[in-house]
Every structure is written in structure tokens, then in C-alpha cells.
């Protein structure tokens, strides 16, 4: 209760004390029926005063709790983006398609919220297996942070015991445009990103324990990319183009740079997807690759994929992939299947 309210109560009590003798004299002069009516009126006034005090107290408590409730709501993810517009997670951990990053920020958080997900990807060709898993976070629909681990295994002699692992940390920043809300403009959503990669060495090949022994110039490297993504809602179509500056051999699984070249090269990557309905997308991707190693006649990647979005918390991607030759020790064009599961918000 404030100081002004206390003063009013004290003044009221003072006037009541001063008027008390007159009230007692009036009570004496009243008939029994008048005294009963007067008593009932005073009780009614008291009840009204108590209700008014209770309402004021409840309002005060609500006002005190409101900032805390507002702050709590501010930290809850809003899942405000349209279904499928967060994309899936590509094989290096960034939000996009299966093989290439898109300008979309992962997750379903709007510019006032955030989103996050975890993924597991399994890629199997006739001679090799690639596993990738990790997490990604989208902040304010503006910044994306990701961390992924790749594990690459051989299954055919002389590489049947081969194992290579790689750590990848990603950063993506939305620069301009909005793939969904800019339907009245041709400007796509544009984002710039970087992937920091560290090759952890080679296992299962005896004395060969480092990618440098295969001719790579380094076992660490950074890919830089610029992506432009446009969603045409009326046509149920998504289009993406990415330019990547890279030295990576087989995404970095065979190191960076090599005996045939050790400089950054600009590689184009392209994606198109058709939304069959709100929960199902059919598409294709093409990714150009450098050729830095004499031991690896590297070829471009491409795939055809089907992505299913049963809810904003889960997506499943199935694809047919072609990865070209992996090494000269097993010069076979690698074809296979790609399955990726993603869960988040």
C-alpha cells in the first residue's frame, strides 16, 4: 500500500472517531427496524471494501509477475517459420540440401527467436561408407552455428580397413533478402559462410597415418562460400546456387591442397527442389570439385533426393548419390544411397 493510501486511511479513521458520539446518539434514537437496516448497510459497505482490496492486491501481484512471464516467453522457441523452410542438414553440417549449403538458416526460429537440431547421416556406396553427425543452431534467423563429425570407412581390399575422421565447425550469416517473404521481388536470400575443417588422420593403412603421406599439402583447411536461395511459393519451387572457395580433397577427408595444386579454387554448387505438398520435397543437386591430388582423380558429386517433413521437429531425407572415383587405388565410380535423419525445432 502506498503512502498516499495510508494517509487516506488515517484521515478516514480520524473522522470516524470524531463522529462516533453522534453515531451512538443516532443509534439510541433509532427504532429496532432502523437499526437492523443500518447494520445491514454497514456490512454491505465492508464487503465491498474487502473485494476492492482483494482486486487491488491481485493486480499488484500480476504486475509483479508479468515481467518474469514475458522474459520466460522470450526464451521459448517460436517455431514460426513455414514447414520445410529450414531445409535439412547437408553432409558437412550446414543447413541446406544433402550435398550443398543453402542461404536458409537452420531451424524454425523467426527473427525474434532461435532454432536448433541434431542430425545423423549415413551414406553407403559399393566400396565405402560415410557417417556424419552433429548439431546446428539458428539464431534470430540471421546466424547459424554448426558442428559435425565425419567418419569414412573402406570395405574393399586393399582399403577394407581404412578409417578417416574429420571435424567440421561451421558459421553462416544471412546478408540480405528473405527466401519466403520477398515473393514480390527477384532478390534471393543471400548468406555467407565458412567451414573450419580438421582431418584427424588415417587408420587401417599401416605406415600411412596422415593425408600428407598421400600428397595433401595440409590436414586442416577452411572452405568459404556464398549462397543464394529463392523460394517461389506459387510454383512450389526452391532454387539455390552456391559458390565455394576451397582447397579440400573429397570435402577434406583426403586433406587440403596437394601435389597438383595448393590454391583456392571457386567451385559451383546447384540445387533445385519441388514441393510435392507441404511435407514432401523432390529435388536434385550438383557439386563441382577440385582436383589437387595425383592419388585421387576427384570427380564432381550429384544426387537426386526425396525429403519428408512429417512435422517441424523431424525430417527424413533419402537420396541416390554419385561421388565419382575416391582414390586411384580403387578406381571405381562410386554410387550409392544417402539417408539422413534430423530432429529439432
Amino acid at each position: 500500500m502506498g503512502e498516499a493510501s495510508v494517509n487516506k486511511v488515517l484521515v478516514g479513521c480520524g473522522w470516524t472517531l470524531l463522529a462516533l458520539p453522534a453515531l451512538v446518539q443516532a443509534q439510541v434514537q433509532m427504532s429496532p427496524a432502523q437499526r437492523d437496516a443500518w447494520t445491514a448497510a454497514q456490512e454491505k459497505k465492508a464487503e465491498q471494501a474487502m473485494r476492492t482490496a482483494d482486486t487491488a492486491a491481485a493486480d499488484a501481484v500480476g504486475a509483479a509477475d508479468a515481467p518474469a512471464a514475458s522474459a520466460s516467453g522470450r526464451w521459448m522457441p517460436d517455431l514460426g517459420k513455414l514447414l520445410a523452410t529450414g531445409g535439412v542438414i547437408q553432409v558437412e553440417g550446414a543447413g541446406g540440401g544433402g550435398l550443398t549449403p543453402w542461404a536458409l538458416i537452420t531451424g524454425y526460429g523467426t527473427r525474434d527467436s532461435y532454432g536448433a537440431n541434431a542430425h545423423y547421416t549415413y551414406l553407403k556406396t559399393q566400396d565405402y561408407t560415410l557417417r556424419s553427425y552433429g548439431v546446428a543452431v539458428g539464431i534470430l534467423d540471421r546466424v547459424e552455428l554448426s558442428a559435425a563429425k565425419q567418419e569414412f570407412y573402406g570395405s574393399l581390399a586393399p582399403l577394407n580397413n581404412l578409417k578417416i575422421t574429420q571435424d567440421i565447425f561451421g558459421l553462416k550469416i544471412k546478408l540480405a533478402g528473405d527466401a519466403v517473404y520477398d515473393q514480390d521481388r527477384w532478390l534471393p536470400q543471400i548468406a555467407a559462410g565458412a567451414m573450419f575443417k580438421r582431418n584427424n588422420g588415417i587408420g587401417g593403412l599401416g605406415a600411412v597415418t596422415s593425408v600428407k603421406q598421400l600428397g595433401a599439402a595440409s590436414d586442416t583447411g577452411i572452405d568459404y562460400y556464398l549462397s543464394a536461395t529463392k523460394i517461389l511459393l506459387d510454383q512450389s519451387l526452391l532454387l539455390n546456387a552456391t559458390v565455394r572457395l576451397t582447397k579440400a580433397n573429397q570435402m577434406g577427408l583426403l586433406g587440403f591442397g596437394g601435389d597438383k595444386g595448393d590454391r583456392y579454387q571457386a567451385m559451383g554448387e546447384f540445387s533445385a527442389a519441388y514441393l510435392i505438398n507441404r511435407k514432401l520435397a523432390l529435388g536434385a543437386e550438383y557439386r563441382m570439385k577440385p582436383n589437387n591430388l595425383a592419388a585421387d582423380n576427384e570427380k564432381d558429386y550429384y544426387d537426386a533426393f526425396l525429403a519428408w517433413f512429417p512435422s517441424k521437429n523431424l525430417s527424413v531425407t533419402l537420396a541416390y548419390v554419385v561421388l565419382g572415383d575416391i582414390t586411384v587405388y580403387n578406381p571405381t565410380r562410386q554410387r550409392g544411397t544417402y539417408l539422413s535423419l534430423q530432429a529439432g525445432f
Side-chain angles (χ1 to χ4, degrees):
M1 185 179 292
E3 183 179 349
S5 300
V6 173
N7 291 335
K8 289 181 181 179
V9 171
L10 293 175
V11 172
C13 290
W15 280 108
T16 300
L17 291 173
L18 291 173
L20 188 56
L23 291 173
V24 171
Q25 182 65 27
Q27 287 264 357
V28 171
Q29 295 176 354
M30 287 181 184
S31 66
Q34 289 174 328
R35 280 197 297 271
D36 291 342
W38 184 86
T39 301
Q42 299 310 308
E43 290 176 350
K44 185 175 182 180
K45 289 181 180 179
E47 291 176 358
Q48 291 175 342
M50 292 179 67
R51 283 197 296 269
T52 301
D54 290 343
T55 301
D59 290 344
V61 172
D65 290 345
S70 175
S72 176
R74 199 162 52 239
W75 291 106
M76 293 296 291
D78 59 16
L79 296 174
K81 291 161 66 173
L82 295 177
L83 185 66
T85 57
V88 296
I89 293 295
Q90 57 102 215
V91 72
E92 292 155 297
L99 296 178
T100 183
W102 297 348
L104 303 176
I105 301 298
T106 194
Y108 286 99
T110 66
R111 64 183 182 179
D112 299 316
S113 186
Y114 64 95
N117 58 65
H119 81 279
Y120 177 82
T121 298
Y122 180 85
L123 192 160
K124 176 68 175 175
T125 69
Q126 61 267 44
D127 300 322
Y128 301 99
T129 298
L130 175 66
R131 297 188 180 99
S132 174
Y133 48 89
V135 295
V137 178
I139 304 170
L140 305 178
D141 198 28
R142 175 70 60 178
V143 177
E144 176 183 295
L145 303 173
S146 62
K149 189 176 190 68
Q150 290 182 333
E151 298 177 350
F152 184 74
Y153 301 90
S155 59
L156 182 69
L159 304 178
N160 51 305
N161 294 318
L162 174 68
K163 180 180 179 180
I164 302 174
T165 64
Q166 178 173 229
D167 299 319
I168 304 174
F169 301 94
L171 169 66
K172 184 196 299 182
I173 299 176
K174 177 180 173 182
L175 301 179
D178 192 286
V180 175
Y181 294 108
D182 286 342
Q183 293 298 301
D184 58 343
R185 299 198 298 169
W186 282 102
L187 178 68
Q189 182 167 320
I190 301 172
M195 295 179 180
F196 305 85
K197 301 180 177 183
R198 181 181 64 224
N199 187 291
N200 298 316
I202 299 174
L205 291 186
V208 179
T209 59
S210 169
V211 290
K212 294 181 180 180
Q213 293 174 268
L214 299 178
S218 177
D219 55 10
T220 61
I222 304 175
D223 286 0
Y224 303 94
Y225 64 88
L226 185 69
S227 294
T229 304
K230 186 67 177 177
I231 297 177
L232 304 172
L233 291 177
D234 288 344
Q235 290 76 31
S236 300
L237 192 63
L238 178 147
L239 301 173
N240 179 82
T242 295
V243 176
R244 182 190 302 247
L245 293 176
T246 184
K247 294 182 180 182
N249 310 316
Q250 302 293 355
M251 299 183 292
L253 290 168
L254 297 182
F256 304 86
D259 43 16
K260 293 172 62 177
D262 185 26
R263 61 181 179 83
Y264 275 102
Q265 300 178 56
M267 298 285 117
E269 305 176 9
F270 309 96
S271 304
Y274 176 73
L275 299 175
I276 300 172
N277 55 47
R278 290 180 61 252
K279 296 186 176 184
L280 204 60
L282 179 66
E285 297 178 289
Y286 187 88
R287 175 171 172 174
M288 299 171 64
K289 305 299 299 305
N291 189 348
N292 298 319
L293 290 177
D296 175 25
N297 188 23
E298 192 163 358
K299 299 291 195 305
D300 296 347
Y301 295 166
Y302 55 90
D303 72 14
F305 67 86
L306 183 67
W308 178 44
F309 303 89
S311 73
K312 291 183 178 181
N313 302 116
L314 180 67
S315 70
V316 182
T317 305
L318 179 65
Y320 171 78
V321 296
V322 179
L323 304 181
D325 300 352
I326 301 298
T327 72
V328 295
Y329 306 109
N330 185 12
T332 303
R333 196 177 193 188
Q334 298 297 312
R335 301 179 176 88
T337 55
Y338 168 109
L339 177 64
S340 182
L341 305 177
Q342 175 181 311
F345 51 88

